[in-house]
Amino acid sequence: MFYFIGLGLGDAEDITVKGLRIVKAAKRVYLESYTSIITGGKEKLEEFYGREIILADREMVEQNSDEILKDADKEDVALLVVGDPFGATTHTDFILRAKELNIEYTTIHNASIMNAVGCCGLQLYHFGQTVSIVFWTETSKPDSFYDKIAVNRKNGFHTLCLLDIKVKEQTIENLMRGRKIYEPPRYMPCSLAAEQLLEIIENKKEDGETDLAFNEDTICVGLGRVGCANQKIVAAKLKEFPCIDMGEPLHSFIITGNMHLMEIDMLKMFALEPTTIK
């Protein structure tokens, strides 16, 4: 059997009882290590689980999935995923590949940012499409997600923004030369996401757009390390976030839509200035 096991969002102890039982008994256990991070990393997991764990980086997950699936039709193999196994589309590819190889699979679900985001007080059924905000470069500043935010705002929905993670990335030069030299990991903070969002609306204004999806005074919510002991939540105007330090990664960002009175009262608990939340 091939097992997809969600680890939750906090630390090694967030695994389910069922998941832990499978981890202890499986022949091989892999940790998907590039779509998210977990407190303590691989070492803390091994200490708590009492067994060896194999790191599965981006290259292994996306290009050498057969290595992970090898012999899973004869023995139990597990892939550990921070959050929930289906929080990233990459893991759906594993299901399709397992099916091609006639390998049975089972999923052990857990909390992910997609549901834990409710910790800020915004109600889950008031969220629209989730978007991803990627790191900009001098030559690439994608903003196609703006249209999804616009649809959400038009319908009164909140938008969860998942912020970019760069792990085991190569420069173009090293990639072209075939050199296995990787850049240090980078995790987008809420402050940078806000800067890019502000630049997008400035560009829209320069292009003559007047009916913007959001503006500098739109109430947003920054979340840091959701599910961890040092979780941090801040509600403030978009224009204030470039100067807000949310601490260590991982961060997520929310652009609010129409808010229920109860949502407003909850956000005031996390507000820089409660009177701005309305």
Side-chain angles (χ1 to χ4, degrees), residues 48 63 87 92 116 151-152 181 195 197 206 224 263 271 277-278:
F48 185 70
Q63 300 176 26
T92 305
V151 171
N152 286 345
I181 301 174
E195 287 179 13
L197 288 166
E206 290 178 4
E263 292 178 302
I277 311 297
K278 53 189 176 181

Side-chain angles (χ1 to χ4, degrees), residues 171-220:
T171 63
I172 294 176
E173 180 182 355
N174 286 329
L175 187 63
M176 293 179 64
R177 292 178 179 272
R179 297 186 296 209
K180 297 291 185 178
I181 301 174
Y182 301 100
E183 297 296 290
R186 291 192 296 153
Y187 307 96
M188 181 180 287
C190 289
S191 56
L192 180 57
E195 287 179 13
Q196 293 185 182
L197 288 166
L198 287 167
E199 185 170 335
I200 288 171
I201 59 177
E202 283 304 312
N203 292 338
K204 298 287 183 184
K205 289 179 182 177
E206 290 178 4
D207 290 340
E209 292 192 31
T210 56
D211 186 19
L212 298 174
F214 55 90
N215 59 46
E216 297 88 343
D217 293 320
T218 298
I219 298 301
C220 297

Side-chain angles (χ1 to χ4, degrees), residues 140-157:
S140 177
K141 295 187 176 184
D143 64 357
S144 58
F145 58 85
Y146 172 89
D147 293 333
K148 292 183 179 180
I149 298 173
V151 171
N152 286 345
R153 291 273 294 174
K154 182 178 179 180
N155 291 318
F157 296 149

Side-chain angles (χ1 to χ4, degrees), residues 34-37 113-114 130-135 145 149 159-167 186-197 221-225 241 244 246-255:
Y34 80 92
T35 60
S36 190
I37 56 175
I113 190 60
M114 302 295 284
T130 297
V131 304
S132 296
I133 300 179
V134 301
F135 284 108
F145 58 85
I149 298 173
T159 304
L160 171 61
C161 305
L162 303 179
L163 308 188
D164 201 6
I165 295 174
K166 295 290 187 185
V167 178
R186 291 192 296 153
Y187 307 96
M188 181 180 287
C190 289
S191 56
L192 180 57
E195 287 179 13
Q196 293 185 182
L197 288 166
V221 183
L223 303 105
R225 302 164 304 285
F241 267 100
I244 296 175
M246 295 296 298
E248 297 177 354
L250 291 173
H251 294 179
S252 301
F253 199 70
I254 300 169
I255 300 171

Side-chain angles (χ1 to χ4, degrees), residues 254-270:
I254 300 169
I255 300 171
T256 63
N258 298 340
M259 289 188 284
H260 185 275
L261 289 175
M262 189 177 295
E263 292 178 302
I264 292 172
D265 287 342
M266 282 293 294
L267 282 193
K268 285 181 177 179
M269 295 171 52
F270 308 113

Side-chain angles (χ1 to χ4, degrees), residues 93-128:
D93 292 339
F94 266 100
I95 299 295
L96 298 174
R97 186 62 183 142
K99 183 175 177 61
E100 287 178 5
L101 298 172
N102 294 316
I103 295 171
E104 293 187 54
Y105 71 91
T106 294
T107 303
I108 312 299
H109 293 284
N110 211 320
S112 77
I113 190 60
M114 302 295 284
N115 58 1
V117 68
C119 65
C120 70
L122 296 176
Q123 298 167 4
L124 293 180
Y125 53 83
H126 286 170
F127 279 81

